[in-house]
Amino acid sequence: MDQILETLGEATDDYPYAYLVTAPRFLGHSFNPVSFWYLYDKQKELKAMILEVNNTFDERRLYFLKSTLAIGVEGEYSPDLPSAIFKGAWPKDFHVSPFNSRKGSYALKSYDPFSPHLSGIGMIDNTITLKSSKCHPKLVARVFSTGASSDPAALGYVAGLRFVLAWWWVGFVTFPRIVKEAGKLFFRRKLHVWYRPEVLKDSIGRRPTNDEIIIESTFRSFLKDLMAHYKIDLPLNYISSIPSSLTSEDLNPQMKEALDSSKEAIDFKVTTPLFFSRLARHSHISECLSNEILSNDDKDRTFYTSHPQLLLQLFEQPTTFINRLGENSSVSTGLRWRFLKWLRNHRIQTTKGDGESQHHFKSDIRYLSFSQLDAFCLKHESPIRKAQYVRVVTKILVSDIIAFGHPEILDAVNYLLMMLASYLFVNALRDFWRAAIGEDWVIVPWVCDEVGNEACAFETM
């Protein structure tokens, strides 16, 4: 919570009390379409709220509403009422439902569950209204209490067990219920379906795959090496979308200290891990970036930068490429990298004409046997990282040819092939065992002889 407030430019000391209304996690699973954070000041009055909105694509958006006297701008708080009301309105910029575009606005009416001064009984009553771009109400959702609240710390063992047995299933059926209602809207109501756009810079993208984590690690190292060898006028603030890694990092702190504090740094924020999958497909990083920067459509953009031209100039710096493997490379390693090189050449030759329609991304117009990331990985990365990188990138390029650009399809096929191979191996081992001892014999393991020693005997059928 402190990190979120600092990101929003708010002082954490202004909100010493915070309460969360959400669905709990059970057996490692939870799905909350929206969670409500109530933020109280030192006088224990509700001063702000944070709404954490989640969609079914594992993406999130945090909306911060601060109490003011202006209705419809951010929020309105009325502490003089018996049950204080918090109101707020904000523009819709996050894709939640395929039956609604990213246009429009939200309006919130929430009763303070702990009014006055955190002494209330905790009754929840929140109403969210979705309005169209013409301010017409389209959807009204309400979350409210139907009974008195309970303190988990005061519940006994029996009451706690009864509560869990009564509510454990809710989180598991939330997503199936959403799919059921979506089917009704699509098949019965014939509603228009909107294409899911990529998240904007203020939203949080989906969780990365293991392949994207590997590519991001190599790209971060490449970016550090590039900043160390080439000077730019401004420091670079790289913000990754990988939660497990360092989220934000100043890659040129010396330059930042030398410049005037009034000058802003170059913000380079990856908004969705899809960026790294696209990056692996391109031989030139600058063309991968320019394809999105020059596009006027932000629905398919996977990163944000405050200085597009300077960022492009950075990646257009000349680099030394390695067009051959090291002399100490093993035969298997050499074959993997040569196959990767062949895939890049094959992709460039077969997608120059209509690659956008086939693979939904633009091809490099310049020939290069190894990409910039390939060359950096060959020169600087450890053997383990090289093996991981070449495996991941090869899978991505192969998926563009035979799996419609979806590496997860290859993962599923690989899993099925492993299951089939295991089944065939077990059957072959069983047939071999029968042939070795004869079909008229059955093993009776670990029987005792007259001396008391354990032995393995055979019994005829």
Side-chain angles (χ1 to χ4, degrees):
M1 178 55 62
D2 290 344
Q3 183 179 2
I4 294 175
L5 292 175
E6 291 174 357
T7 303
L8 297 172
E10 297 290 329
T12 58
D13 295 337
D14 293 342
Y15 308 100
Y17 305 98
Y19 289 87
L20 172 64
V21 175
T22 186
R25 184 180 300 272
F26 187 79
L27 295 178
H29 175 78
S30 68
F31 180 75
N32 296 290
V34 58
S35 299
F36 302 90
W37 287 92
Y38 299 84
L39 305 182
Y40 297 83
D41 61 7
K42 297 178 181 180
Q43 286 72 37
K44 299 182 179 181
E45 293 183 354
L46 180 63
K47 289 300 183 181
M49 290 186 66
I50 295 179
L51 274 66
E52 181 180 340
V53 182
N54 298 270
N55 61 19
T56 55
F57 306 101
D58 195 27
E59 298 168 340
R60 289 184 296 161
R61 175 69 164 96
L62 300 178
Y63 294 104
F64 179 77
L65 305 177
K66 194 172 182 180
S67 62
T68 64
L69 297 178
I71 301 177
V73 179
E74 280 187 322
E76 178 192 22
Y77 179 62
S78 303
D80 298 331
L81 297 178
S83 182
I85 299 177
F86 186 101
K87 292 183 179 180
W90 65 97
K92 185 177 186 293
D93 59 0
F94 181 66
H95 182 78
V96 178
S97 170
F99 303 107
N100 292 301
S101 66
R102 206 158 56 181
K103 298 179 180 179
S105 62
Y106 289 108
L108 170 69
K109 180 181 180 181
S110 176
Y111 290 88
D112 184 0
F114 302 106
S115 176
H117 306 292
L118 297 180
S119 62
I121 59 176
M123 299 297 290
I124 301 169
D125 193 349
N126 297 327
T127 302
I128 299 178
T129 303
L130 171 62
K131 298 181 181 180
S132 65
S133 56
K134 298 180 180 180
C135 295
H136 299 309
K138 298 179 63 177
L139 177 67
V140 178
R142 185 186 178 201
V143 180
F144 59 95
S145 300
T146 58
S149 59
S150 301
D151 185 1
L155 292 177
Y157 176 78
V158 177
L161 181 61
R162 185 184 299 113
F163 177 83
V164 172
L165 293 177
W167 294 98
W168 67 269
W169 54 275
V170 175
F172 292 98
V173 300
T174 301
F175 181 75
R177 284 175 171 175
I178 293 176
V179 175
K180 177 184 176 182
E181 297 301 322
K184 292 180 180 179
L185 294 175
F186 180 74
F187 293 105
R188 293 184 184 179
R189 302 293 183 179
K190 307 296 183 181
L191 293 186
H192 174 73
V193 176
W194 295 85
Y195 167 74
R196 183 189 68 84
E198 298 299 334
V199 297
L200 299 177
K201 66 182 182 69
D202 293 327
S203 301
I204 303 174
R206 60 169 174 80
R207 283 170 291 186
T209 64
N210 292 332
D211 297 345
E212 291 164 341
I213 292 176
I214 293 174
I215 297 174
E216 192 278 337
S217 177
T218 302
F219 176 70
R220 183 186 291 269
S221 300
F222 170 82
L223 201 54
K224 290 181 179 179
D225 183 77
L226 196 64
M227 294 295 295
H229 289 83
Y230 300 98
K231 294 183 178 180
I232 56 176
D233 296 335
L234 297 176
L236 178 65
N237 182 30
Y238 171 62
I239 306 173
S240 172
S241 61
I242 308 296
S244 59
S245 65
L246 184 62
T247 302
S248 178
E249 183 176 6
D250 290 328
L251 298 182
N252 197 1
Q254 296 82 5
M255 178 69 69
K256 187 174 183 179
E257 294 176 358
L259 292 175
D260 191 327
S261 58
S262 61
K263 294 186 177 181
E264 298 180 354
I266 299 178
D267 289 332
F268 179 29
K269 180 181 180 180
V270 178
T271 57
T272 171
L274 178 63
F275 169 81
F276 302 108
S277 297
R278 291 184 177 180
L279 191 66
R281 291 179 167 96
H282 285 79
S283 296
H284 299 272
I285 298 178
S286 60
E287 291 190 2
C288 176
L289 301 180
S290 62
N291 287 339
E292 296 192 18
I293 292 176
L294 297 178
S295 175
N296 295 325
D297 188 7
D298 60 355
K299 296 180 180 179
D300 200 38
R301 193 164 296 170
T302 59
F303 72 93
Y304 161 80
T305 178
S306 58
H307 298 75
Q309 296 301 325
L310 289 179
L311 188 66
L312 288 178
Q313 292 178 10
L314 173 65
F315 287 103
E316 287 176 352
Q317 298 290 339
T319 55
T320 303
F321 294 101
I322 300 177
N323 291 312
R324 61 182 180 85
L325 299 172
E327 298 179 355
N328 298 327
S329 300
S330 62
V331 176
S332 60
T333 300
L335 290 176
R336 293 190 187 100
W337 284 97
R338 289 185 178 88
F339 181 59
L340 174 60
K341 178 179 179 180
W342 180 87
L343 285 173
R344 290 200 180 279
N345 296 339
H346 178 74
R347 175 184 171 272
I348 292 176
Q349 294 172 2
T350 58
T351 61
K352 275 187 177 180
D354 56 349
E356 183 71 15
S357 60
Q358 289 183 6
H359 303 298
H360 305 286
F361 57 85
K362 296 182 179 180
S363 304
D364 289 325
I365 60 177
R366 295 172 291 177
Y367 174 83
L368 188 65
S369 58
F370 283 126
S371 71
Q372 290 176 296
L373 281 186
D374 296 344
F376 176 82
C377 185
L378 278 171
K379 184 177 181 180
H380 297 285
E381 295 288 60
S382 64
I384 296 178
R385 179 60 67 183
K386 289 180 182 178
Q388 294 175 336
Y389 175 86
V390 71
R391 174 183 59 81
V392 167
V393 177
T394 299
K395 181 173 65 175
I396 292 176
L397 296 181
V398 170
S399 70
D400 293 337
I401 300 175
I402 64 175
F404 309 101
H406 296 283
E408 56 271 15
I409 296 180
L410 296 183
D411 292 333
V413 172
N414 181 57
Y415 178 78
L416 294 176
L417 291 177
M418 291 178 61
M419 295 291 292
L420 178 61
S422 300
Y423 174 77
L424 296 176
F425 175 76
V426 171
N427 284 342
L429 184 62
R430 183 183 60 184
D431 295 339
F432 173 78
W433 188 266
R434 288 178 177 177
I437 66 174
E439 294 185 353
D440 296 331
W441 296 91
V442 178
I443 297 178
V444 183
W446 304 113
V447 299
C448 296
D449 58 11
E450 297 179 355
V451 184
N453 296 324
E454 292 183 340
C456 183
F458 296 93
E459 179 182 338
T460 57
M461 295 291 293

